[in-house]
Amino acid sequence: MTAKISRINPERLHQTPGYHHITVVEAGRTAYLAGQCPLDQDGGLVGPDSLDAQLDQIVTNALTALAAVGAQPTHVVRSVIYVRSDDQSALGAAWARLTASALGPAFTSASTLLGVAQLGFSGQLAEVDLTVALPD
């Protein structure tokens, strides 16, 4: 049996730029992906000065992680996006790039976008955390 996923935007809450305020999973197994970082297969940081290059690597890594558990971006039920910036336009640009990517459907569920002061790797500008309702 495949988990039933419902995405809800209550009328009395503000309009969103593509995500849903609430995601409900009726049944099934879940996977919690570690924060997806802009690291290549050898553990090297991709694009130390390029948010776009880092986001593209994060998308590649997240798609690989999803495939490893037999999931697609549509199976994501919660995302948290971290961007090392306090500039609202940088956060908006990160959101736009991620939602336009092959991982984009993941961000239609409950999602949070945060500007942060520091991330785990020197030069790291972004990270994405995903929770997935696994298909059977």
Side-chain angles (χ1 to χ4, degrees):
M1 177 167 120
T2 301
K4 180 181 173 195
I5 301 169
S6 301
R7 294 170 177 89
I8 304 164
N9 278 327
E11 288 182 24
R12 296 189 63 180
L13 291 178
H14 67 85
Q15 293 292 318
T16 70
Y19 67 89
H20 287 80
H21 285 285
I22 303 164
T23 303
V24 177
V25 180
E26 297 295 331
R29 299 178 314 130
T30 56
Y32 304 87
L33 277 58
Q36 297 299 294
C37 299
L39 303 177
D40 63 22
Q41 189 172 5
D42 297 323
L45 182 71
V46 172
D49 297 319
S50 172
L51 180 58
D52 286 349
Q54 289 195 12
L55 291 170
D56 293 348
Q57 185 64 46
I58 288 168
V59 167
T60 297
N61 293 349
L63 292 171
T64 299
L66 288 170
V69 294
Q72 298 288 325
T74 55
H75 297 116
V76 172
V77 296
R78 174 93 173 108
S79 65
V80 181
I81 304 160
Y82 303 92
V83 179
R84 199 183 84 202
S85 179
D86 63 358
D87 178 359
Q88 221 171 6
S89 66
L91 274 67
W95 176 260
R97 190 166 191 93
L98 287 170
T99 58
S101 75
L103 189 59
F107 305 106
T108 64
S109 288
S111 187
T112 300
L113 173 62
L114 300 168
V116 298
Q118 187 64 45
L119 289 163
F121 295 95
S122 179
Q124 183 180 357
L125 302 175
E127 187 166 329
V128 174
D129 180 8
L130 303 173
T131 303
V132 184
L134 294 174
D136 289 335

